[in-house]
Amino acid sequence: MNIAVYPGTFDPFTNGHRDLVQRAASNIFDKVYICVAENSKKDTVFSLDERIELAEKSLVNIDNIEVIGFSGLLVDFAKKLDAKVILRGLRVVSDFEYEFQMSSMNKKLNQDIESIFLTPSESYAFLSSSLVKEIAQLGGDISPFVSKEVKVALEKKYK
Ligand code: PNS
């Protein structure tokens, strides 16, 4: 079975994340685990449980996926899930250095796991969780960028 993990902070999960999971799960992998990082270096607006719940609610109707929280090293978690691939999105050139460093380090930590990158669909190339949060905080309309559930949750946070 061809299993991938798709790790991230997902604070919060966006339509760009959904697009990537959908393409990966329908065309490339038998199973995709969306792995929500607990102790990310970033300060998050949403708790781990909230981030998991919002990802799940944004991903209804896709069968061969599962959302799980994790802490500790990603490569160890991927091994536990029997995944041979770490899937990441690569949007713009500025993503590259960070992704290159992470994938090289993950490869050093476990040579059996490959990192694979998907570019976003054109309409999501500019989208990021941080921009969505900034727009929500300033009262802008985020409905084109996130699920209904995420929109409501963000509006509640910034009320
Ligand atoms: O969405 P993000 O913040 O870019 O995701 C970063 C994430 C969660 C993929 C990365 O921080 C991670 O893999 N954390 C788990 C801990 C780990 O394995 N660190 C070593 C990475 S080389």
Side-chain angles (χ1 to χ4, degrees):
M1 190 136 114
N2 200 359
I3 302 171
V5 291
Y6 177 46
T9 308
F10 303 119
D11 185 47
F13 201 85
T14 68
N15 290 346
H17 296 132
R18 184 180 204 283
D19 168 66
L20 196 127
V21 171
Q22 199 159 27
R23 285 158 53 213
S26 61
N27 300 328
I28 311 170
F29 299 105
D30 299 315
K31 175 105 188 184
V32 178
Y33 288 101
I34 294 86
C35 300
V36 184
E38 179 177 20
N39 44 4
S40 157
K41 283 167 281 179
K42 300 172 183 170
D43 278 335
T44 57
V45 167
F46 293 102
S47 69
L48 177 66
D49 286 345
E50 287 173 323
R51 285 180 283 135
I52 292 173
E53 190 186 338
L54 290 173
E56 277 169 347
K57 287 183 170 162
S58 305
L59 285 167
V60 285
N61 301 332
I62 309 176
D63 292 334
N64 51 332
I65 59 131
E66 202 174 314
V67 181
I68 343 181
F70 79 104
S71 54
L73 279 181
L74 174 65
V75 285
D76 294 343
F77 193 61
K79 191 177 172 189
K80 254 189 245 164
L81 295 171
D82 222 11
K84 292 279 187 294
V85 170
I86 295 171
L87 174 66
R88 293 280 291 173
L90 200 54
R91 290 163 305 189
V92 283
V93 177
S94 53
D95 282 347
F96 180 78
E97 205 169 302
Y98 171 58
E99 296 299 334
F100 185 75
Q101 195 179 14
M102 265 204 308
S103 66
S104 307
M105 189 53 86
N106 282 328
K107 187 78 183 168
K108 274 258 179 293
L109 294 171
N110 187 330
Q111 301 205 347
D112 298 330
I113 300 178
E114 293 290 345
S115 291
I116 289 185
F117 299 91
L118 282 182
T119 52
S121 298
E122 213 176 306
S123 46
Y124 300 123
F126 55 89
L127 185 52
S128 73
S129 297
S130 10
L131 273 185
V132 164
K133 281 181 284 194
E134 185 176 327
I135 295 164
Q137 198 165 14
L138 298 172
D141 179 21
I142 52 166
S143 45
F145 312 128
V146 294
S147 65
K148 231 185 323 171
E149 291 80 6
V150 170
K151 181 173 186 277
V152 170
L154 269 174
E155 283 169 354
K156 225 187 227 170
K157 285 277 177 202
Y158 292 129
K159 197 166 58 179

